Amino acid sequence: MSEDGDATSQVDEVTPDVVVPPVDPGQSFVVGIDRDAVLRRREVVRTVERRGGWVTAALGAIGIVAAVYALFAFPGSGMWPFALLLIAAMIPLLLSTVLVYRVQAERQAWYDANELPPVAMRISAKGLELACDGAAYPVVLPWPTVRGFTQHKLLGQYMLDIALERGVGATTAGVRGLDQPSVRSVVKPNPLLRPTGMFLVKALDQPVHVIDEALRHFSNGKAGIRR
């Protein structure tokens, strides 16, 4: 009650469930994951990839049909070298469609064989531990091997992708898990396929700026999130 007799309402301040990076370097900062958001993302990726595969297949088929038609419609015109070049240029489009379905089948096999982990990443003084979608075991990256993450938009949603130092691979000292097929498909995607990204931002239980703070804290300012 105020001095003039008016009742003042007290509003409880609601704060988000955000964990500040721990001060103790012996602790780790854990980023959880929203299972439902990840499953929805999987379906979006699957649909978009198949749609794109059929579009590229249609373009390739049209190009090949046009080249064959030109060969028979204009015999002796000297167009056969150009027709053959057009056919050769269209073949990768058809192959990319086949590749889409093969990769999706492999990816579904990874999903069926491995449960979706409740934790997306652990950040500690030793480095990063990443639970990639479809991977059988976590990816371990010491700080000298990683620059952090890059944030960008894929298929209409913001994603985080790991940024490795130049020359870092599965055989680099201290690195573990980069040789898993599901990890390779994200870290070094096939140029014929659209990249899918590593972590869906809205599926993480910590905001990007807090993850960035944790990365800089544990890596002594070496790693962070680049937008």
Side-chain angles (χ1 to χ4, degrees):
M1 184 78 68
S2 62
E3 293 182 357
D4 57 0
D6 294 334
T8 57
S9 61
Q10 294 182 345
V11 179
D12 293 334
E13 201 174 292
V14 179
T15 57
D17 187 16
V18 174
V19 180
V20 178
V23 177
D24 184 0
Q27 298 180 15
S28 62
F29 180 73
V30 178
V31 180
I33 198 164
D34 182 346
R35 178 183 177 86
D36 292 336
V38 173
L39 294 179
R40 288 193 298 269
R41 172 70 180 182
R42 287 179 179 179
E43 188 59 32
V44 169
V45 170
R46 179 175 178 272
T47 301
V48 171
E49 283 183 342
R50 290 198 171 191
R51 188 180 301 158
W54 281 112
V55 170
T56 55
L59 292 175
I62 291 172
I64 291 175
V65 169
V68 173
Y69 173 80
L71 285 175
F72 288 97
F74 306 101
S77 62
M79 293 185 61
W80 65 268
F82 302 101
L84 292 179
L85 286 175
L86 180 58
I87 292 174
M90 295 298 106
I91 289 177
L93 296 181
L94 298 178
L95 292 179
S96 68
T97 302
V98 176
L99 187 60
V100 164
Y101 280 86
R102 193 189 77 181
V103 169
Q104 285 195 346
E106 292 175 351
R107 191 182 296 149
Q108 189 60 49
W110 304 334
Y111 295 157
D112 294 340
N114 302 284
E115 285 291 330
L116 183 65
V119 173
M121 67 182 80
R122 297 179 188 273
I123 309 173
S124 68
K126 295 181 179 180
L128 282 175
E129 182 179 306
L130 310 175
C132 297
D133 196 9
Y137 52 89
V139 175
V140 177
L141 298 167
W143 288 123
T145 66
V146 64
R147 292 183 286 117
F149 292 95
T150 57
Q151 179 182 328
H152 51 107
K153 207 169 189 179
L154 287 174
L155 305 180
Q157 295 176 313
Y158 285 102
M159 307 293 297
L160 290 182
D161 274 322
I162 192 67
L164 300 174
E165 292 287 359
R166 185 182 299 273
V168 172
T171 59
T172 303
V175 173
R176 177 176 178 265
L178 281 183
D179 55 343
Q180 299 177 90
S182 58
V183 179
R184 287 202 311 267
S185 68
V186 175
V187 176
K188 293 184 178 180
N190 191 300
L192 294 178
L193 299 177
R194 177 179 293 186
T196 58
M198 181 171 285
F199 294 118
L200 177 64
V201 169
K202 72 176 185 179
L204 304 176
D205 69 354
Q206 297 295 330
V208 170
H209 73 275
V210 174
I211 299 174
D212 180 62
E213 182 183 346
L215 290 169
R216 297 183 187 280
H217 170 74
F218 283 106
S219 68
N220 294 321
K222 177 182 180 296
I225 296 178
R226 295 167 177 81
R227 298 171 177 83

